[in-house]
Each structure stands twice: as structure tokens, then as C-alpha cells.
Amino acid sequence: MKRIAIIGGGISGLAAAHRLIERSKTPVSITLFESSSRLGGTIQTDHHNGFLLERGPDSFISEKPEALQLAKRLGIENQLIQTNHEYRRSFVVRNGRLRPVPEGFQLLAPTRFWPFVTTDIFSLTGKLRMSADLFLPRKELNGSNDETLASFVRRRLGQEALERMAQPMVGGIYTADPELLSLRATLPRFLDMEREHRSLILGMWRKGRTVRKQKGVSGARYSLFLSFANGMETLVQTLEKKIAPHVDLRINTPVKNIRRSEEVWLIDDVLEVDAVCLAVPSYVAARLISSEKLASKLDQIKFASTATVNLAYHRDQIKHALDGFGFVVPAIEKRAVIACTFANVKFSGRAPAEQVLLRAFVGGALQPEMLQLDDAEIGRRVQMDLAALLGITGAPLFVEVSRWTNAMPQYQLGHLDLVESIDTEVTAIPGLALAGNAYRGAGIPDCIRSGELAAASLLS
């Protein structure tokens, strides 16, 4: 019987364990170690006086199929819900006011002409500079097919497009510094679009013809986002129930070291296994692994810390119409909040009638100092921003701060080359696999894919 240890009980580790059970043609002995008191990592759902609080991610994207496919195999597809149809748009803050993202605007550039012309997110000068993209030549590769987000947007669309749209939109996803963020590792379609169409706007307009049936959609393609009626932890709880009869689950059990000894792996010099999946952050994997060369490469992947702040209000306390899914805040606005979701507008069943649940986000690569504050001060600064931006009066019904220390990997320039070199080192070590958000995607489907690929490699 093959013996496999999985270190890390987040969604990547759980997906790896589930895949081992699904795909193994012979019995497998699986031991899963989780250092904390619960499984699921950042996926945490709480219920509070009729409110459904997501302390971590509130949804996943169906365009990447792994999470949806897993939900189907687990038999919980019927519990999935889509975003509410009525208010599928978002806002960007400019000069202290929420401005609607132009209809058809896709992260970096517009797919429709008139909404772009009439928006007040950009100045006339900024719009003219963005329009120059229609005439600019392609960039010569000169041996490199990667570029930072800031360099690309500044080159194609100008500084204002970077500051007012690209940085807050992409920053809301990756909580990253655009001056360092690898476009090839995060949004490769825009680099490919320049290669194919020369002009980014022209390429967006051409591709936009296929999605213009989605009237009223701005910012992200909201129809692609799915959650569970009872919260994202539904996925974790279902996975735990499925694997529990087949896996030795060791909660509150941190692993201190692993080492290869002849033909087996030793976990903390006690447990012998044939293979190990490290489904932990790369900096944790670096401390566990004995290969100095691999550990050095793993340590090159940087991480940022964030906090999610859930706040509840009576509806009549908020002046803003809340006629969208939320807003992002450009760094140049110098606010504590980097983004905010109107949780009960985005998904149904998140708040009682006549009450509102807001999910604000702070920290990231551009505001690390926010995570040095205590919870009370973080909550106070978030309340001040939301009061100013949404016209809120009075105190919230409650404030819940959830910290995620070093949880967001930073895909900096050259990230994919670094990951390939890590893969080379791992391949040379028998019975070792890596999984998690540090390598080839930070979303839930990406983590599931990494866990399932790790399981497949260990079985083979």
C-alpha cells in the first residue's frame, strides 16, 4: 500500500486528498497534517444574527473549470448560486466619489466606445492618451515575453489609466504593487492581445463583439462568479466529509521537518511515507524541505498580508443606492480601504431584510502598514472611509476583522520562470509534489487544480 502525507489542510491539500481517493486504483494510506484547529485555510464562513459572513473568498470564477467540476463530483452543484442579475456593475472612487465603471470596460481597457467617452473616471487628457493606443506600435520582444502591469499599461494607455483603473482593479484581485506584478503570470491575455492585434483597445473591441449581449455588465464579468447558498465553506465541509473515512486527519498538528531517508520520507523523524505533498505557502515549504537549492527558490516568492472587514448596518443608515456589487479605491486616493463589496447585493441570503452587509479589504503590497494596527483601529479607519464614500451615519451593528498574514503570493516579474526552475528541482526529488496558490494561480480553481495535479504526480 502506498503511503502519502499531505502537509496543509487548505483547499489545495483537501483537493489533493480527494483526488488521491478518486483516482487511486489500489488502496492508499493518506495522512493529512493541518497546523491550525480547522481545515479550509482562508475559506471561512460564519453566521451571525441572520448575516452570512465570508472571512476569506466569497466566490470563485467558473471560467476556470476546476472548482465547478469538483462541486459537481461532490454532488453539491445544486447548492451553487450566481451573482444577482439586477446590479451587475461596480464602481471606482475618484475624488471621494463612487463613479460607475463604464459598461463593457474589462479591467484595463474598454470594449465599447460611447460609455468610455462619457465616463467621468478619466479626464479628457487621460482619455486622449488612452486613445493613442489605437496608433501605437507593438513592443519589440527583445528576448522577453513578460512585462510588469505598470509598464504595460503606462506604455499602452498612459499614467492615468494605470492610476485610475488598472491599479485598483487588478490590485483588488492580487493586492499587488503594479510596478512589480508580472503580467504574463496574471493577465497574459493582454500581452497576447498586443501581439495579435497591435492595439489593446482594438483587440478589446473585436473581442467585445462576442460579449455585448451581456448588457449592463461593467468591470468584471459578473455572471462568471459563483458561490454557495450557505457560503463558501460548504465546499470545505463537503470535502472533509468525503475524505474523512479514508484519510488520517491530524488537526492542530504542525509539521516541523521532512527528510528523505533511503527510499522513504520521514515526517518529523517519526512517520514513514512513500510520498509527500507540500500544500502550504512556499515560504513554509522552504523551511520544511532539506534541499537548500529548492528552499532558496521557494523563498524568492514574496507574499503580502491583508485583512477582510465585515460590517453590518441598517439600510436607512446608508445614503448610497448600493446599486452595484461594490467598489475599488485607487491608491492615489489615499484611503485605508482598497476595495469593498456590497455582500448582500452581490449574493442573496447574506443579510436580513432592511439590513446591509459590507466586506471591506485593507492591506496588500501597497499598504502593509495597515496590518500593523490592532483590530479596533483597522475597524475605525474602515468605518471612516465607508462613512465618507457611502454616506453612512451612525455606528455599525457589528464589525468583524479577519487577518490573513502572508496569504497573498506576489507574482512578480519573472515569476513563471522561477516556477519552472522550482518544478525542475522538485522533479529531481522522488516522491515530492508542491501545491498551493504560490505557483500558477491564486484563485480557488487554481488551488484545486494544483492539488489535483500534485495528487496525479504522486500516484504516477
Side-chain angles (χ1 to χ4, degrees), residues 41 44 66 117 130 201 324:
Q44 292 188 18
E66 288 81 7
V117 169
M130 291 174 72
I201 293 177

Side-chain angles (χ1 to χ4, degrees), residues 157-234:
L157 303 166
Q159 183 68 19
E160 189 173 343
L162 172 63
E163 292 179 343
R164 288 293 171 187
M165 186 65 75
Q167 179 273 316
M169 280 289 187
V170 178
I173 301 170
Y174 294 99
T175 64
D177 182 347
E179 302 291 348
L180 302 174
L181 187 69
S182 162
L183 203 61
R184 177 61 66 190
T186 55
L187 299 168
R189 67 183 182 273
F190 291 107
L191 284 168
D192 296 338
M193 200 174 291
E194 182 184 32
R195 301 284 87 77
E196 181 180 352
H197 300 280
R198 182 188 55 78
S199 162
L200 185 62
I201 293 177
L202 188 60
M204 293 290 282
W205 284 352
R206 288 170 178 167
K207 291 183 180 295
R209 292 170 188 167
T210 63
V211 298
R212 285 179 187 170
K213 294 179 182 179
Q214 298 177 355
K215 288 189 176 181
V217 177
S218 70
R221 294 169 63 188
Y222 291 111
S223 61
L224 298 177
F225 288 91
L226 300 174
S227 189
F228 293 92
N230 219 23
M232 285 300 301
E233 202 165 341
T234 298

